[in-house]
Amino acid sequence: METKHITCTVCPRGCAITATKDGDVITVEGASCDRGRAYAKEEMTCPKRMLTTTCKVSPALSEKMKLLPVRSAAPVPKALLFDIMEVCREVTVEKKVSIGDTVIPNVLDTGVDIIAAAAL
């Protein structure tokens, strides 16, 4: 049996949630809404986080901006954060981008794009 004490981040209430996993059964206490219960269950099975990092910018594209801030378009599995950052470390942006443009599509087959958080 595994128990986690979680502060819910889905809304401003910040409910103190206790989630317990016993085999395939997950029990959630302290959540005041369905979204909080879903969040706690996700935290017990496959926690996800938004990722913010940078990608290199080609010197031919910009002499001033050496790194482009990027982020995930949606939460990605927490277990893949460092692997995704490694992919971002290897990418060099070679063309002008606007905020929200895809820099890395479907990173590591997660179904989530890495997008520009600034314009070049």
Side-chain angles (χ1 to χ4, degrees):
M1 183 159 52
E2 176 187 5
T3 300
K4 282 188 182 179
H5 300 284
I6 301 164
T7 300
C8 184
T9 60
V10 176
C11 78
R13 283 187 185 160
C15 294
I17 298 173
T18 301
T20 305
K21 183 176 182 181
D22 190 5
D24 290 340
V25 178
I26 298 173
T27 327
V28 177
E29 297 174 0
S32 58
C33 68
D34 289 338
R35 289 172 41 199
R37 282 184 278 284
Y39 173 76
K41 287 180 181 180
E42 183 177 90
E43 282 295 298
M44 293 298 287
T45 56
C46 180
K48 294 182 179 179
R49 301 290 184 268
M50 291 296 290
L51 173 68
T52 58
T53 188
T54 57
C55 289
K56 291 178 265 185
V57 174
S58 169
L61 186 58
S62 174
E63 292 181 14
K64 294 180 184 178
M65 192 176 224
K66 297 189 185 302
L67 296 172
L68 174 70
V70 296
R71 66 177 182 85
S72 57
V76 293
K78 186 177 175 183
L80 294 178
L81 287 176
F82 289 105
D83 294 334
I84 294 170
M85 288 191 304
E86 186 61 36
V87 170
C88 291
R89 188 176 294 118
E90 299 300 320
V91 168
T92 300
V93 178
E94 303 282 349
K95 63 179 184 171
K96 294 229 179 248
V97 294
S98 298
I99 295 173
D101 286 354
T102 299
V103 176
I104 306 170
N106 190 22
V107 66
L108 295 181
D109 293 322
T110 58
V112 177
D113 296 340
I114 299 298
I115 61 174
L120 277 176

